[in-house]
């Protein structure tokens, strides 16, 4: 088998290498991304956009480069940025979840207003889905919106809302049709986080930082036109977003960079003069993980190929969130084990703790536990894989009055 790149891809590879050589020193640090992007990151994002290394297949009318989907191009770009350890662009709930949702089901006006500023990093979004008591049972969301004089009037509460304390906008799942069935009573609204009556209160996680929030709505007015796809279509739209969220969370390109960092870490630390990478107990775990990262990358490419061909991927897509988060957690577990006591500076972690490898791995390790829950817990993912992917019997439902 000839695995050398054909001429156009070699040309793209050379172009990116020139770009990295010329501008690489301006790249923000790889990783992070759980804070509002700073000016350096925004400038870098705009540079990547101008060269079509991000937003590549988004139509030019909406701020992208307007290229045809090409999985080899995507793989060459991701590979070159990972190889050079250079920041490959912003990933956040707006870019990875809302933008593909709007491109799929938004109006032309919504695409023009939101896609460009979001991929440039100028609008930061948060996701208003989970509520106290309605996390896994998302379709039971009770936050209400009633139409009055051209505005949706929103009342209720969301919880675990990542980034809400610095986001500009929210995509919100709420109940607009109280008479309709659970799934058909929901709508999907886009609203400003500066709306009067909206109160976002940060919650501290075990990383020591405030990463998510509880958000309260008291008569929050949202213009009638800020609905995606229409009344009662919220469950469908929410699931389009969830599909992209689960792919983002399990994304293989992040794994490659983390594996490289892990190899570096194990090559640096030694016990009695022997580097950890040469010790069987660490080397075995590392090799197993390396094999899994390679397999995960191949799986990702297979899904990209099927998407580009317009084919359904079925159960292969359903395993991405579960498999990706388990693999990510095992990568950071090995790093924390290798760091020994340096991997446990629990007390010292704060809002800005992203200063060296030890604290970064420590934060990743704790955050990875959260990723097994966020975006639909891994228990729920196993139900979905079993019931919808493998046609296993459905889990028993409680009858009314049994709880
Ligand atoms: C880091 C992080 C970021 C998040 N960001 C956001 C965000 O930005 N926006 C947002 O809306 N939400 C967010 N969430 C919330 C997340 O989506 C919910 O926590 C998740 O869906 C689980 O809901 P819950 O917390 O209400 O748990 P519950 O639904 O109460 O579940 C509790 C436990 O029971 C298990 N369980 C429940 N039902 C079943 C079942 N049928 N079968 C088997 N096991 C079951 C679950 O797996 C879990 O272990 C985030 C969560 C985390 C951890």
């Amino acid at each position: 088998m000839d695995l050398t790149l054909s001429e156009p891809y070699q040309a793209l590879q050379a172009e990116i290498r020139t770009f990295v050589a010329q501008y690489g020193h301006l790249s923000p640090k790889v990783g992070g991304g759980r804070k509002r992007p700073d000016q350096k990151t925004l400038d870098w994002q705009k540079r990547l956009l101008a060269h079509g290394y991000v937003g590549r297949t988004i139509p030019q009318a909406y701020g992208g480069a307007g290229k045809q989907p090409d999985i080899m191009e995507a793989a060459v770009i991701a590979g070159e940025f990972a190889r050079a350890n250079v920041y490959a662009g912003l990933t956040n709930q707006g870019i990875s979840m809302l933008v593909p949702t709007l491109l799929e089901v938004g109006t032309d006006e919504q695409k023009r207003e939101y896609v460009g500023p979001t991929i440039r990093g100028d609008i930061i979004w948060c996701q208003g889905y989970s509520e106290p008591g309605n996390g896994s049972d998302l379709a039971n969301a009770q936050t209400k919106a009633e139409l009055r004089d051209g505005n949706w009037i929103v009342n209720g509460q969301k919880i675990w809302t990542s980034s809400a304390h610095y986001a500009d906008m929210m995509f919100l799942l709420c109940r607009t049709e109280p008479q309709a069935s659970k799934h058909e009573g929901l709508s999907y609204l886009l609203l400003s986080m500066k709306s009067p009556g909206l109160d976002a209160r940060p919650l501290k996680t075990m990383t020591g930082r405030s990463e998510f929030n509880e958000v309260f709505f008291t008569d929050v007015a949202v213009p009638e036109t800020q609905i995606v796809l229409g009344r009662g279509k919220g469950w469908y739209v929410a699931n389009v977003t969830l599909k992209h969220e689960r792919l983002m969370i399990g994304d293989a390109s992040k794994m490659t960079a983390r594996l490289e960092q892990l190899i570096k870490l194990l090559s640096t630390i030694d016990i009695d003069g022997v580097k950890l990478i040469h010790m069987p107990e660490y080397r075995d775990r590392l090799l197993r993980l390396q094999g899994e990262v390679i397999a995960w990358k191949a799986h990702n490419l297979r899904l990209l190929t099927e998407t580009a061909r317009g084919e359904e991927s079925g159960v292969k897509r359903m395993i991405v969130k579960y498999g990706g988060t388990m693999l990510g957690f095992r990568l950071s577990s090995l790093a924390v084990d290798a760091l020994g006591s340096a991997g446990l500076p629990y007390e010292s972690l704060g809002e800005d703790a992203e200063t060296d490898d030890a604290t970064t791995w420590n934060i990743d390790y704790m955050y990875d536990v959260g990723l097994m829950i966020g975006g639909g817990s891994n228990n729920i993912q196993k139900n979905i894989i079993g019931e919808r992917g493998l046609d296993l019997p459905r889990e028993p439902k409680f009858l009314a009055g049994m709880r």
Side-chain angles (χ1 to χ4, degrees), residues 222-239:
V222 180
E224 187 179 354
T225 50
Q226 291 291 90
I227 191 166
V228 180
L229 203 60
R231 292 182 75 144
K233 302 278 192 270
W235 183 243
Y236 178 81
V237 184
N239 274 286

Side-chain angles (χ1 to χ4, degrees), residues 93-144:
Q93 293 183 325
I95 291 174
S96 305
M97 292 156 55
L98 182 74
V99 164
T101 303
L102 287 183
L103 289 173
E104 200 169 322
V105 293
T107 61
D108 189 48
E109 251 171 37
Q110 287 166 344
K111 291 176 201 171
R112 281 182 197 279
E113 183 165 359
Y114 295 122
V115 171
T118 303
I119 60 178
R120 287 196 291 276
D122 294 335
I123 298 183
I124 302 296
W125 292 82
C126 62
Q127 175 193 36
Y129 279 19
S130 305
E131 297 179 357
N134 299 309
S136 297
D137 190 10
L138 184 59
N140 202 31
Q142 296 299 321
T143 295
K144 280 191 307 212

Side-chain angles (χ1 to χ4, degrees), residues 50-71:
H51 284 79
Y53 301 145
V54 295
R56 193 167 181 84
T57 57
I58 292 174
Q60 285 178 343
Y62 309 136
K67 305 250 191 221
Q68 286 302 312
D70 181 327
I71 66 146

Side-chain angles (χ1 to χ4, degrees), residues 50 74 92 142 220 254 282 284 301-302 305 334 368 374 394:
N92 56 35
Q142 296 299 321
V220 173
K254 284 185 265 177
Y282 287 97
D284 281 359
L301 286 176
R302 172 164 72 164
T305 311
L334 178 52
D368 283 338
R394 294 185 72 80

Side-chain angles (χ1 to χ4, degrees), residues 251-283:
D251 183 12
S253 56
K254 284 185 265 177
M255 309 292 171
T256 317
R258 289 178 77 187
L259 179 74
E260 293 300 324
Q261 288 160 3
L262 185 56
I263 293 171
K264 221 164 89 189
L265 184 74
L266 296 186
S267 312
T268 318
I269 302 175
D270 67 82
I271 297 177
D272 295 336
V274 183
K275 299 271 186 258
L276 296 189
I277 200 158
H278 298 307
M279 295 181 153
E281 53 274 47
Y282 287 97
R283 200 176 175 81

Side-chain angles (χ1 to χ4, degrees), residues 93 127-131 134-137 159-162 212 367 370-371 373-377 379-380 383 395:
Q93 293 183 325
Q127 175 193 36
Y129 279 19
S130 305
E131 297 179 357
N134 299 309
S136 297
D137 190 10
I159 196 164
W160 317 130
T161 322
S162 302
F212 45 36
Y367 197 74
L371 290 182
I373 303 167
S377 75
N379 291 341
I380 296 294
N383 287 350
E395 66 165 334

